[in-house]
Amino acid sequence: MSDNEHREIKFADELVAPLLDGEKEATVRYDGFRGVGVGDTLLGTTTDGTPFAELEITRTATVLAVEAHDVIEVFGAKYSSTCPEDVIKSLNKHYDESIGPGTTVQVLVYEVQNRLDTNY
């Protein structure tokens, strides 16, 4: 990804406030974020496309869904899951595809660089 390109990354509306408050520092994605690397900036948007923050990627890993929780812990990022099953359950809530323990996912850890929407 080029330095000037801002890819968009959507978050469910209920995740925006925890993300902006520093309570959520990682996301696990099933598709669309391969090729994103450390130092890249993503434009965080709500489900309706409203931008709320620029997020700088600080860590990334491609792993099996069952491994995502452990990777987030190794990275030292704040995330709401308490076990691998919580991560998989959350993924299945947000994707139409069936995500299982052996599904390949991307873990992205980020820092909020620029807060764009003060409504949260």
Side-chain angles (χ1 to χ4, degrees):
M1 189 164 81
S2 74
D3 291 339
N4 296 327
E5 181 183 354
H6 286 317
R7 285 180 57 183
E8 184 178 302
I9 183 167
K10 289 187 184 242
F11 287 89
D13 294 344
E14 69 268 14
L15 300 176
V16 174
L19 187 153
L20 290 172
D21 292 342
E23 297 169 13
K24 177 177 173 47
E25 300 172 329
T27 188
V28 180
R29 299 298 170 119
Y30 170 62
D31 58 359
F33 291 94
R34 290 194 173 111
V36 171
V38 172
D40 288 343
T41 299
L42 302 178
L43 183 63
T45 66
T46 60
T47 53
D48 70 0
T50 302
F52 65 85
E54 291 177 345
L55 308 173
E56 181 180 344
I57 303 302
T58 60
R59 302 293 291 257
T60 182
T62 301
V63 297
L64 299 178
V66 72
E67 300 168 328
H69 177 265
D70 291 339
V71 168
I72 292 167
E73 284 195 345
V74 167
F75 286 167
K78 294 178 186 172
Y79 190 78
S80 60
S81 70
T82 59
C83 63
E85 292 79 14
D86 285 349
V87 174
I88 294 168
K89 192 180 296 183
S90 177
L91 284 166
N92 279 303
K93 176 181 170 188
H94 295 287
Y95 290 98
D96 293 333
E97 295 84 354
S98 179
I99 310 296
T103 304
T104 301
V105 297
Q106 291 85 42
V107 175
L108 301 173
V109 179
Y110 47 79
E111 291 179 1
V112 175
Q113 293 301 304
N114 187 19
R115 199 174 170 141
L116 303 173
D117 191 329
T118 57
N119 292 324
Y120 293 95

